[in-house]
């Protein structure tokens, strides 16, 4: 596992070393998990979290380019249930953290014929490795309040086999994958972007068939700012 993560990180670092534009990215994630077989989510389960890392574009042309990166990103969801007119509650937060590697095709519409700045659209796959995270439960019933926090557990799965090693109902799959689609504005000193991560893997380690339906998959809207380093 550690060897694979290290190898992926080294690959992305070497890849971005050859990029024409390298930028540091940071921003807000609005994370959720699908709750129906058709892939719907519930608004009240939207979890604010974050993304931070670096991305690189290769400068293939002013219009069409490739982009790769290495991001530390939060996913998950929350739920809040209130009782007795809103005075009592049960609040849960489920926030796993991943190292994510996106690879996008970027299409830019320049502001004018001579400008390298413009509006852009991006789309492509991602893979992610779960490394940490917390689940938290807060309750209040009358004068009594409780709070508990637990570390999120990941199964020690091998991504190159069909078996889910070390699977259990209280563990997530170590590896996630899916598709990104988004867009934004690229200027000389800043890149503003919005991205939607469409998870394709069921998150529970006991789930064997990811294609059976679209329940229990990540959906993550990211709003980020990038600062070019070169």
């Amino acid at each position: 596992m550690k060897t694979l993560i290290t190898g992926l990180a080294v690959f992305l670092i070497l890849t971005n070393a050859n990029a024409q534009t390298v930028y540091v990215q940071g921003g807000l994630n609005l994370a959720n998990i699908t709750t129906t077989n058709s892939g719907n989510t519930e608004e009240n389960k939207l979890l604010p979290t974050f993304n931070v890392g670096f991305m690189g574009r290769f400068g293939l042309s002013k219009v069409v380019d490739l982009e790769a990166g290495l991001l530390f990103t939060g996913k998950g969801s929350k739920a809040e249930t209130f009782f007795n007119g809103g005075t009592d509650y049960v609040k849960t937060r489920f926030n796993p953290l991943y190292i994510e590697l996106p690879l996008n095709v970027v299409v830019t519409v320049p502001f004018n014929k001579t400008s390298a700045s413009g509006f852009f659209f991006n789309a492509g796959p991602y893979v992610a490795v779960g490394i940490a995270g917390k689940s938290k439960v807060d309750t209040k019933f009358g004068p009594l309040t409780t709070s508990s926090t637990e570390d999120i557990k990941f199964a020690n799965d091998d991504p190159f086999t069909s078996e889910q090693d070390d699977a259990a109902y209280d563990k997530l799959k170590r590896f996630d994958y899916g598709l990104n689609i988004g867009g934004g504005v690229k200027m000389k000193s800043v890149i503003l972007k919005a991205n939607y991560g469409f998870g394709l893997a069921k998150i529970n380690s006991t789930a064997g068939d990811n294609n059976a339906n679209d329940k229990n998959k990540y959906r993550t809207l990211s709003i980020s700012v990038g600062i070019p380093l070169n």
Side-chain angles (χ1 to χ4, degrees):
M1 172 59 64
K2 291 182 180 179
T3 301
L4 177 62
I5 295 174
T6 302
L8 291 173
V10 170
F11 170 76
L12 263 295
I13 291 171
L14 293 176
T15 297
N16 281 283
N18 296 316
Q20 294 297 311
T21 300
V22 178
Y23 63 94
V24 175
Q25 174 180 310
L28 171 71
N29 285 358
L30 298 175
N32 216 328
I33 298 172
T34 58
T35 57
T36 68
N37 290 345
S38 58
N40 295 327
T41 59
E42 298 179 21
E43 276 191 35
N44 67 340
K45 294 189 175 182
L46 205 63
L47 174 71
T49 179
F50 68 92
N51 69 86
V52 64
F54 66 91
M55 303 287 289
R57 296 184 181 181
F58 293 88
L60 301 181
S61 74
K62 285 186 177 181
V63 177
V64 180
D65 204 351
L66 285 178
E67 176 182 72
L70 184 67
L71 301 174
F72 181 43
T73 186
K75 303 189 180 188
S77 69
K78 69 175 183 180
E80 298 179 347
T81 304
F82 293 90
F83 310 93
N84 298 328
T87 59
D88 298 331
Y89 56 78
V90 176
K91 299 179 180 180
T92 62
R93 292 173 61 91
F94 179 73
N95 189 193
L97 303 174
Y98 288 79
I99 298 294
E100 184 173 306
L101 296 89
L103 177 62
N104 293 318
V105 175
V106 181
V107 177
T108 300
V109 181
F111 292 144
N112 55 60
K113 291 183 179 180
T114 60
S115 176
S117 301
F119 298 101
F120 67 86
F121 305 92
N122 64 268
Y126 75 82
V127 294
V129 182
I131 59 170
K134 300 283 187 180
S135 61
K136 183 178 181 181
V137 179
D138 294 315
T139 65
K140 180 181 181 297
F141 293 99
L144 301 177
T145 60
T146 64
S147 181
S148 62
T149 302
E150 293 185 359
D151 292 332
I152 291 176
K153 302 174 184 177
F154 293 93
N156 295 318
D157 186 35
D158 183 345
F160 302 107
T161 66
S162 59
E163 296 81 13
Q164 292 296 326
D165 305 319
D166 192 32
Y169 284 102
D170 64 341
K171 294 181 179 181
L172 300 183
K173 290 180 180 177
R174 176 74 66 177
F175 293 89
D176 179 42
Y177 63 90
L179 300 173
N180 283 317
I181 184 168
V185 181
K186 179 181 182 294
M187 293 174 279
K188 183 176 181 180
S189 58
V190 67
I191 298 172
L192 306 176
K193 60 191 295 190
N195 186 81
Y196 189 72
F198 189 89
L200 298 178
K202 287 182 173 293
I203 66 174
N204 191 273
S205 62
T206 59
D209 187 357
N210 292 318
N211 298 318
N213 54 56
D214 283 324
K215 189 175 182 179
N216 293 326
K217 297 181 180 181
Y218 291 124
R219 300 288 186 266
T220 308
L221 173 65
S222 303
I223 302 169
S224 309
V225 177
I227 305 298
L229 300 179
N230 57 344

